[in-house]
Amino acid sequence: MLDDNADGRFLLAKTLLRCFPTSAVQECVEIEVATTLCRTQPPHAVIAHRARGLDGMETIRQLREANPSVPIVYLSGIDRTQEAIRAGATCFLNYDAWLRIGTVVADLLPNHIAPEEGTVPLPDRLVSATNEFRNGRELA
């Protein structure tokens, strides 16, 4: 999870851990830490808002460069769906819908099984981002 806002990281991390209790959620503030993790310990998903000193689109570009295949969920309080997808995000989630983060991440995992069904292959590593849209298409 990558966000320069401690409150945002806290809410998202707690929600992810409720959905995926055996997972490790790595919280990052600095882009250098997040990109190093994406290169050396590839996560199952990245949930990102923005890194300290960078806007959201540059944050996405650097994450995507560090790992071309990791799903990136981008979060923002403003609809930036199209910008985020063009920058390399897999999907977008409005911060107001942060409680959906577990379902959004589960949809990015193999088999697309909802976390509350109890049969999700639980990821051992997650770095953060978000989604209501994937590749420019609205999700049901």
Side-chain angles (χ1 to χ4, degrees):
M1 176 173 323
L2 175 62
D3 194 343
D4 64 348
N5 180 290
D7 293 337
R9 283 193 321 274
F10 175 79
L11 288 174
L12 291 168
K14 291 297 180 191
T15 303
L16 286 166
L17 287 170
R18 284 186 184 145
C19 295
F20 305 101
T22 63
S23 297
V25 175
Q26 177 68 48
E27 295 183 40
C28 302
V29 175
E30 304 291 338
I31 193 68
E32 294 81 10
V33 174
T35 56
T36 297
L37 286 171
C38 282
R39 280 188 202 102
T40 62
Q41 299 175 31
H44 286 88
V46 173
I47 294 81
H49 179 223
R50 65 177 168 245
R52 182 177 294 148
L54 293 178
D55 68 20
M57 298 313 111
E58 184 58 28
T59 296
I60 294 169
R61 283 189 279 278
Q62 289 192 31
L63 290 167
R64 181 56 65 216
E65 184 179 311
N67 187 319
S69 63
V70 68
I72 298 173
V73 180
Y74 179 69
L75 293 165
S76 179
I78 299 169
D79 185 354
R80 297 189 193 308
T81 304
Q82 296 306 316
E83 290 173 85
I85 299 300
R86 280 192 301 271
T90 308
C91 56
F92 174 83
L93 181 66
N94 190 291
Y95 244 124
D96 292 341
W98 62 271
L99 285 171
R100 292 189 52 236
I101 192 63
T103 302
V104 169
V105 170
D107 186 45
L108 297 173
L109 299 175
N111 302 322
H112 304 289
I113 301 169
E116 43 289 347
E117 292 175 5
T119 56
V120 172
L122 297 174
D124 56 3
R125 289 182 304 279
L126 293 173
V127 180
S128 279
T130 327
N131 172 315
E132 285 178 358
F133 292 82
R134 177 171 304 142
N135 298 329
R137 294 188 312 257
E138 187 167 2
L139 297 177

